[in-house]
Tab-separated table of all heavy atoms in Angstrom:
chain	number	residue	atom	x	y	z
A	163	TYR	N	-1.321	-16.797	-35.478
A	163	TYR	CA	-0.399	-16.744	-36.577
A	163	TYR	C	1.041	-16.513	-35.944
A	163	TYR	O	2.010	-17.210	-36.346
A	163	TYR	CB	-0.704	-15.703	-37.532
A	163	TYR	CG	0.348	-15.505	-38.605
A	163	TYR	CD1	0.384	-16.283	-39.732
A	163	TYR	CD2	1.324	-14.479	-38.443
A	163	TYR	CE1	1.322	-16.140	-40.732
A	163	TYR	CE2	2.292	-14.302	-39.483
A	163	TYR	CZ	2.337	-15.103	-40.568
A	163	TYR	OH	3.250	-14.965	-41.525
A	164	ASN	N	1.205	-15.592	-35.068
A	164	ASN	CA	2.474	-15.254	-34.504
A	164	ASN	C	3.075	-16.408	-33.627
A	164	ASN	O	4.254	-16.673	-33.623
A	164	ASN	CB	2.404	-14.002	-33.662
A	164	ASN	CG	2.230	-12.780	-34.505
A	164	ASN	OD1	2.575	-12.764	-35.745
A	164	ASN	ND2	1.787	-11.657	-33.877
A	165	ILE	N	2.129	-17.191	-32.954
A	165	ILE	CA	2.592	-18.362	-32.157
A	165	ILE	C	3.163	-19.326	-33.189
A	165	ILE	O	4.320	-19.940	-32.934
A	165	ILE	CB	1.478	-18.905	-31.330
A	165	ILE	CG1	1.111	-17.966	-30.221
A	165	ILE	CG2	1.840	-20.287	-30.801
A	165	ILE	CD1	-0.204	-18.372	-29.483
A	166	ARG	N	2.443	-19.603	-34.243
A	166	ARG	CA	2.910	-20.578	-35.237
A	166	ARG	C	4.155	-20.108	-35.936
A	166	ARG	O	5.052	-20.925	-36.269
A	166	ARG	CB	1.802	-20.862	-36.251
A	166	ARG	CG	0.653	-21.616	-35.660
A	166	ARG	CD	-0.297	-22.129	-36.749
A	166	ARG	NE	-0.885	-21.073	-37.518
A	166	ARG	CZ	-2.104	-20.548	-37.210
A	166	ARG	NH1	-2.821	-21.025	-36.222
A	166	ARG	NH2	-2.629	-19.607	-37.957
A	167	LEU	N	4.227	-18.802	-36.170
A	167	LEU	CA	5.402	-18.241	-36.851
A	167	LEU	C	6.687	-18.454	-35.985
A	167	LEU	O	7.740	-18.847	-36.478
A	167	LEU	CB	5.196	-16.728	-37.109
A	167	LEU	CG	6.470	-15.980	-37.659
A	167	LEU	CD1	6.707	-16.525	-39.082
A	167	LEU	CD2	6.187	-14.511	-37.714
A	168	ALA	N	6.576	-18.201	-34.660
A	168	ALA	CA	7.714	-18.392	-33.752
A	168	ALA	C	8.188	-19.870	-33.820
A	168	ALA	O	9.350	-20.130	-33.862
A	168	ALA	CB	7.286	-17.990	-32.331
A	169	GLU	N	7.204	-20.750	-33.808
A	169	GLU	CA	7.567	-22.184	-33.802
A	169	GLU	C	8.180	-22.528	-35.197
A	169	GLU	O	9.160	-23.308	-35.199
A	169	GLU	CB	6.335	-23.004	-33.630
A	169	GLU	CG	5.752	-22.918	-32.232
A	169	GLU	CD	4.424	-23.634	-32.043
A	169	GLU	OE1	3.603	-23.663	-33.049
A	169	GLU	OE2	4.153	-24.050	-30.944
A	170	LYS	N	7.669	-21.984	-36.218
A	170	LYS	CA	8.143	-22.225	-37.628
A	170	LYS	C	9.577	-21.752	-37.771
A	170	LYS	O	10.421	-22.344	-38.442
A	170	LYS	CB	7.285	-21.647	-38.653
A	170	LYS	CG	7.586	-21.965	-40.087
A	170	LYS	CD	6.612	-21.407	-41.060
A	170	LYS	CE	7.035	-21.704	-42.493
A	170	LYS	NZ	6.036	-21.082	-43.535
A	171	LYS	N	9.896	-20.611	-37.156
A	171	LYS	CA	11.170	-19.979	-37.248
A	171	LYS	C	12.222	-20.742	-36.418
A	171	LYS	O	13.437	-20.501	-36.522
A	171	LYS	CB	11.151	-18.508	-36.745
A	171	LYS	CG	10.410	-17.596	-37.649
A	171	LYS	CD	11.159	-17.259	-38.885
A	171	LYS	CE	10.490	-16.131	-39.744
A	171	LYS	NZ	11.325	-15.830	-40.965
A	172	GLY	N	11.727	-21.670	-35.579
A	172	GLY	CA	12.606	-22.422	-34.725
A	172	GLY	C	12.864	-21.870	-33.358
A	172	GLY	O	13.904	-22.241	-32.686
A	173	VAL	N	12.020	-20.976	-32.890
A	173	VAL	CA	12.172	-20.432	-31.521
A	173	VAL	C	11.750	-21.530	-30.582
A	173	VAL	O	10.786	-22.167	-30.713
A	173	VAL	CB	11.266	-19.210	-31.349
A	173	VAL	CG1	11.291	-18.701	-29.843
A	173	VAL	CG2	11.657	-18.067	-32.313
A	174	LYS	N	12.609	-21.729	-29.543
A	174	LYS	CA	12.451	-22.750	-28.538
A	174	LYS	C	12.208	-22.102	-27.174
A	174	LYS	O	12.974	-21.151	-26.802
A	174	LYS	CB	13.562	-23.705	-28.453
A	174	LYS	CG	13.973	-24.392	-29.780
A	174	LYS	CD	12.786	-25.308	-30.223
A	174	LYS	CE	13.245	-26.046	-31.508
A	174	LYS	NZ	12.122	-26.893	-32.017
Side-chain angles (χ1 to χ4, degrees):
Y163 173 84
N164 286 341
I165 291 169
R166 291 193 295 267
L167 175 65
E169 293 173 329
K170 184 178 179 180
K171 291 285 188 180
V173 176
K174 303 296 182 183

